[in-house]
Amino acid sequence: LPQLLRQQLGPRAAIGFFLHIPFPAFEVFRALPWRRAIVEGLLGADLVGFHTYDDVLHFLEAVRRLTGVSDHVGRITWDGRVVAVDAFPMGIDVERWGGAGGRADVREQMARVRQQLGSTRVVLCVDRLDYSKGIPQRLEAFERFLERHPEFRERVTMVMVAVPSREQVPAYRALKREVDERVSRINGRYGTLGWMPIRYLYRSLPFAALAALYRVAD
């Protein structure tokens, strides 16, 4: 897309591209039949951004291996232009989250959570319901933990917050069915009248409720 925009808008256009997912190492990336076309397409941008410096290095290596052009401190001269490549990690509102414990609504939610979960240790998972998050594998790991360490049953609770995502896509609906079934099986196998191994919340939570869970979690 950056290359197509460059062809339409000309050299003066300011084009930025940010990749929200990891850029693979060249050993993986080179398996793509369109590897060179993808790299040249991205070089149509003036700025190519990634989450981490590992992703930056993977991209720069792909450029060098596929085009023969090396970078200079993250700058690539391409098609008469300078293309900058850098990492821009996502951040959070530190002051808002750091000061959440002083809010009355958060303290109220914390007390409610503690009342519901009792004295058990809390393992907290918060994710979009996406197949890239490893949620089924995490559930399998927790199930194996309970199986191999019965002394921790009724002493630890996993709170899983799964935020709905792309519910109309068949692959995501299938993932939700798998997660629902795994949670039901684990709770049915190990749950007691006074303890449920997994508290599963399929929804997004307001700030106060989520902040309370973070502060209660072990």
Side-chain angles (χ1 to χ4, degrees):
L1 179 58
Q3 184 182 49
L4 293 173
L5 289 171
R6 180 69 59 196
Q7 292 168 354
Q8 291 291 322
L9 302 176
R12 289 183 172 273
I15 301 173
F17 178 88
F18 183 80
L19 187 66
H20 187 65
I21 60 176
F23 192 91
F26 187 71
E27 288 72 18
V28 175
F29 186 70
R30 68 181 179 182
L32 283 174
W34 316 277
R35 53 192 178 272
R36 185 181 175 100
I38 290 174
V39 163
E40 292 183 352
L42 294 180
L43 291 175
D46 298 289
L47 175 63
V48 182
F50 301 93
H51 276 309
T52 72
Y53 285 105
D54 282 345
D55 298 328
V56 170
L57 294 176
H58 290 162
F59 177 72
L60 293 175
E61 182 185 13
V63 172
R64 181 179 60 81
R65 298 281 289 272
L66 294 171
T67 70
V69 177
S70 297
D71 74 290
H72 178 69
V73 197
R75 302 295 185 268
I76 299 169
T77 301
W78 180 260
D79 195 26
R81 298 175 295 105
V82 175
V83 181
V85 184
D86 211 338
F88 304 96
M90 289 184 67
I92 64 169
D93 188 338
V94 175
E95 291 184 1
R96 185 185 187 208
W97 286 97
R103 290 176 42 158
D105 55 347
V106 174
R107 291 199 301 270
E108 181 182 337
Q109 290 283 350
M110 288 173 63
R112 186 176 302 172
V113 170
R114 263 291 152 225
Q115 183 180 17
Q116 293 173 347
L117 299 182
S119 60
T120 64
R121 294 293 186 95
V122 178
V123 177
L124 176 63
C125 312
V126 182
D127 292 287
R128 257 186 333 110
L129 191 66
D130 187 289
Y131 52 77
S132 68
K133 305 300 183 182
I135 296 173
Q137 292 79 7
R138 194 179 312 160
L139 289 169
E140 182 181 357
F142 188 59
E143 183 176 18
R144 289 190 185 184
F145 170 73
L146 295 176
E147 178 183 332
R148 295 178 183 179
H149 298 279
E151 68 273 18
F152 283 99
R153 297 173 193 172
E154 299 189 69
R155 292 175 55 195
V156 60
T157 302
M158 174 182 279
V159 178
M160 175 169 285
V161 180
V163 180
S165 176
R166 302 181 179 122
E167 297 174 279
Q168 303 308 313
V169 178
Y172 285 79
R173 291 202 300 268
L175 174 63
K176 183 179 184 301
R177 282 196 303 271
E178 180 183 1
V179 170
D180 290 349
E181 290 169 2
R182 283 179 181 264
V183 170
S184 296
R185 185 183 72 242
I186 295 168
N187 282 342
R189 182 180 180 186
Y190 294 109
T192 66
L193 287 175
W195 173 70
M196 198 65 68
I198 301 173
R199 297 293 186 99
Y200 175 45
L201 305 174
Y202 179 63
R203 60 181 182 273
S204 58
L205 296 179
F207 174 80
L210 191 56
L213 284 173
Y214 279 130
R215 295 186 70 85
V216 166
D218 297 286

